[in-house]
Amino acid sequence: MVDYMYLGLIRKGYQRDFEKLKNEINLYKDEYALWIVDKGITTSAGHLCLLLIDDLNHFIGVGLGKTKYERNRELEFILDEVPRAILIYDINTTMIIVDNALKSITSKQLKAEYSNSKFEYPTSVEFVFIHLLMHLNYHIGQINYHRRFLDN
């Protein structure tokens, strides 16, 4: 049996951070500022958002939710000026995919080794969920800094 309270906390963490991500993207006064790289900041908020969408769709959607998402890592850093509305749509879609994967996970799957690992050592599905939640939060902080620093 899965510890539903524990998984519920992880789900709440993802839901909270997806809302933070959407909020940060929406707080840019000028939509163009999402794509600015300047003053020692080498990755734009828009590119960080695309990276998060791709990471979560790839590692959780494909790896655990069995979606047919196809990642194109190169596009994460070369696409420019994707409209804010599309970023928000993709965040919402990814949020549903992640939540569905978390809702459908079994105790056996949670403790199982994650087969699509980018890590140097064997990791569990549980570890991947936590790692990606921390990764999401880390990049939200970068986006927040980018917005406050460059969106003047």
Side-chain angles (χ1 to χ4, degrees):
M1 177 170 211
V2 177
D3 182 347
Y4 290 104
M5 185 176 192
Y6 172 70
L7 276 175
L9 292 172
I10 294 172
R11 282 181 67 204
K12 282 184 180 185
Y14 275 102
Q15 290 164 354
R16 177 202 63 206
D17 285 359
F18 276 120
E19 293 301 326
K20 281 184 186 177
L21 178 58
K22 288 190 297 188
N23 187 51
E24 286 297 332
I25 298 300
N26 279 321
L27 281 171
Y28 278 82
K29 296 173 199 157
D30 179 0
E31 189 170 339
Y32 173 75
L34 283 162
W35 303 98
I36 293 174
V37 289
D38 192 16
K39 301 176 185 171
I41 297 174
T42 58
T43 307
S44 73
H47 288 119
L48 289 171
C49 185
L50 292 173
L51 165 77
L52 288 168
I53 290 165
D54 267 4
D55 265 5
L56 293 165
N57 273 290
H58 177 74
F59 289 107
I60 294 179
V62 174
L64 300 168
K66 307 301 179 210
T67 65
K68 303 288 185 214
Y69 185 84
E70 290 189 36
R71 185 176 196 178
N72 187 337
R73 185 132 169 85
E74 293 173 12
L75 285 180
E76 294 170 21
F77 297 99
I78 60 173
L79 283 178
D80 279 327
E81 299 182 37
V82 174
R84 181 188 342 235
I86 291 176
L87 292 175
I88 298 300
Y89 175 84
D90 288 346
I91 294 167
N92 284 329
T93 302
T94 305
M95 185 166 63
I96 292 167
I97 288 166
V98 169
D99 196 55
N100 285 341
L102 280 163
K103 285 192 296 192
S104 66
I105 200 87
T106 67
S107 184
K108 186 177 180 180
Q109 290 170 316
L110 193 63
K111 300 298 180 192
E113 185 175 329
Y114 182 74
S115 61
N116 185 12
S117 186
K118 67 176 185 171
F119 303 100
E120 299 170 7
Y121 46 84
T123 60
S124 67
V125 168
E126 177 180 36
F127 177 85
V128 171
F129 276 130
I130 299 296
H131 171 80
L132 290 170
L133 179 58
M134 293 183 328
H135 183 248
L136 173 60
N137 193 269
Y138 174 77
H139 285 311
I140 291 168
Q142 287 181 303
I143 292 168
N144 173 274
Y145 178 80
H146 179 273
R147 178 184 54 78
R148 290 182 295 113
F149 192 64
L150 295 175
D151 193 22
N152 294 318

